[in-house]
Amino acid sequence: YQCFTDPVWGKGEDADALVENSFVYAANLLCSEGFGLCLPWYRQEDVDAFIQVVVDHIGGLIYEDRTTGKYVLRLLRSDYDPATIPLFTPDTGLLAIEEDDSASAEAVNEIVATGFSPVTRGDIQVRANNIAGWHSQGGPISRPMEWKGIPTRSLLLRRAHTVWISAQPQEHMSRVMKQ
């Protein structure tokens, strides 16, 4: 929030340009998760780049609301009601479903995450893995991830686990919609 609104070192956006409740909700959720960052910002990098680093660390996204034009902060969590997800059918404009399983042969079965401990002043590393995936694929297929602002192994493991879940092989489908 401050990166957006601070007129001295931030973007200097008016507070009305943000959906403030989305930032408050995200802050409260991160607090309830015990999610803290230890992340310096050296002003050599653009404030937008720093904002993106923070958003990547917390597993979220910032987007402009299509109806209001205001910035929204959304954490990517399983806090949605599946019944509210739109169902696309031929009656709503769906023309075809084309299956694509090309990614499943090399599915990631291990996330190797690196953080930084301000206590020891050194890198910390954790692995989130799928042992069954190791066995079925003959060994680990790793994806390295770096979140230097995450200061503890337990928090780093939780963050790596959320990426590992999203990296699991799933049947990918492309939807062809009526124009």
Side-chain angles (χ1 to χ4, degrees), residues 25 37 59 86 118 124 151 153 156 163:
Y25 177 79
L37 293 177
I124 54 176
R153 280 187 168 82
L156 190 60
V163 172

Side-chain angles (χ1 to χ4, degrees), residues 69-175:
K70 295 182 178 187
Y71 292 107
V72 177
L73 173 59
R74 173 92 166 112
L75 296 178
L76 303 175
R77 306 293 193 270
S78 297
D79 59 350
Y80 59 89
D81 179 4
T84 64
I85 298 174
L87 178 63
F88 295 103
T89 67
D91 295 333
T92 61
L94 182 66
L95 296 178
I97 297 177
E98 300 167 1
E99 296 184 27
D100 176 11
D101 62 354
S102 60
S104 63
E106 289 295 316
V108 172
N109 58 30
E110 176 181 66
I111 300 294
V112 180
T114 304
F116 183 80
S117 170
V119 176
T120 63
R121 296 183 184 194
D123 285 349
I124 54 176
Q125 193 175 75
V126 298
R127 294 172 185 269
N129 49 47
N130 176 348
I131 300 300
W134 280 26
H135 289 292
S136 69
Q137 294 171 315
I141 299 174
S142 299
R143 176 188 293 170
M145 302 295 293
E146 190 172 279
W147 297 294
K148 293 292 187 164
I150 297 182
T152 65
R153 280 187 168 82
S154 62
L155 185 54
L156 190 60
L157 186 59
R158 285 192 333 214
R159 182 66 180 102
H161 185 70
T162 62
V163 172
W164 177 76
I165 289 171
S166 68
Q168 292 308 296
Q170 298 173 4
E171 187 175 281
H172 297 279
M173 297 183 189
S174 60
R175 293 174 174 84

Side-chain angles (χ1 to χ4, degrees), residues 5-129:
T5 60
D6 194 293
V8 176
W9 58 265
K11 293 177 70 163
E13 296 276 353
D14 189 277
D16 289 338
L18 307 173
V19 177
E20 187 173 351
N21 288 344
S22 71
F23 286 80
V24 171
Y25 177 79
N28 288 335
L29 183 58
L30 291 166
C31 183
S32 72
E33 292 176 351
F35 203 122
L37 293 177
C38 185
L39 193 62
W41 175 48
Y42 303 106
R43 296 184 188 198
Q44 293 89 352
E45 73 180 333
D46 183 57
V47 70
D48 286 319
F50 179 70
I51 290 170
Q52 189 59 53
V53 167
V54 171
V55 169
D56 290 345
H57 274 68
I58 64 175
L61 57 94
I62 292 182
Y63 62 93
E64 194 173 321
D65 185 278
R66 291 184 299 179
T67 58
T68 65
K70 295 182 178 187
Y71 292 107
V72 177
L73 173 59
R74 173 92 166 112
L75 296 178
L76 303 175
R77 306 293 193 270
S78 297
D79 59 350
Y80 59 89
D81 179 4
T84 64
I85 298 174
L87 178 63
F88 295 103
T89 67
D91 295 333
T92 61
L94 182 66
L95 296 178
I97 297 177
E98 300 167 1
E99 296 184 27
D100 176 11
D101 62 354
S102 60
S104 63
E106 289 295 316
V108 172
N109 58 30
E110 176 181 66
I111 300 294
V112 180
T114 304
F116 183 80
S117 170
V119 176
T120 63
R121 296 183 184 194
D123 285 349
I124 54 176
Q125 193 175 75
V126 298
R127 294 172 185 269
N129 49 47

